[in-house]
Amino acid sequence: MQIILEVPDLLGKKLQQLGDRLPEALDRALGELTAAETIPYQDELQIVELLASQPSPEVILAIRPRPALQARMSELLDRNKSGTLSQSEEVELDRYLLLEHWVRLAKAHAYKRLQAAA
């Protein structure tokens, strides 16, 4: 199949450098973009495994907590404000906050990588 695209000059030069590897590069990029649309995480083990796999900046920027995790974090934060957290819930909240911190750091680094590549 032949597809004709208009791209900026800088991108066009980069694509020309790929030569006959262009289909492979496009396939990889599309795979990462598709995966990036849905990268929910539930706990710190999942996020550590994902970050250890050295994903592309786009994949990192697409990381979002699952709705259930987000709801649990909100519940714990609300209960923390009202002073009704148990000690185990305080530990759980601290773990979630640390996880969120890791993700924010990774996203900041990924954003810098994208800016440097542009």
Side-chain angles (χ1 to χ4, degrees), residues 74-85 90 93 97:
S74 293
E75 175 189 345
L76 291 172
L77 287 168
D78 288 343
R79 293 188 55 215
N80 186 47
K81 286 180 185 177
S82 66
T84 60
L85 280 181
E90 285 180 23
L93 178 59
L97 292 175

Side-chain angles (χ1 to χ4, degrees), residues 26-88:
L26 287 172
D27 187 50
R28 284 184 183 182
L30 289 172
E32 287 181 7
L33 288 174
T34 303
E37 292 174 4
T38 56
I39 303 183
Y41 64 88
Q42 186 64 39
D43 60 31
E44 64 269 15
L45 180 58
Q46 287 178 321
I47 196 65
V48 168
E49 287 175 352
L50 174 65
L51 295 176
S53 73
Q54 298 181 343
S56 70
E58 294 84 1
V59 169
I60 293 171
L61 292 172
I63 296 171
R64 302 281 183 273
R66 290 189 177 151
L69 176 60
Q70 196 166 358
R72 179 64 177 157
M73 288 175 65
S74 293
E75 175 189 345
L76 291 172
L77 287 168
D78 288 343
R79 293 188 55 215
N80 186 47
K81 286 180 185 177
S82 66
T84 60
L85 280 181
S86 68
Q87 188 170 358
S88 64

Side-chain angles (χ1 to χ4, degrees), residues 8-40:
D9 290 342
L10 182 60
L11 178 57
K13 289 176 185 177
K14 289 180 181 180
L15 293 173
Q16 282 179 330
Q17 291 174 351
L18 290 173
D20 60 350
R21 294 187 59 211
L22 180 58
E24 175 190 352
L26 287 172
D27 187 50
R28 284 184 183 182
L30 289 172
E32 287 181 7
L33 288 174
T34 303
E37 292 174 4
T38 56
I39 303 183

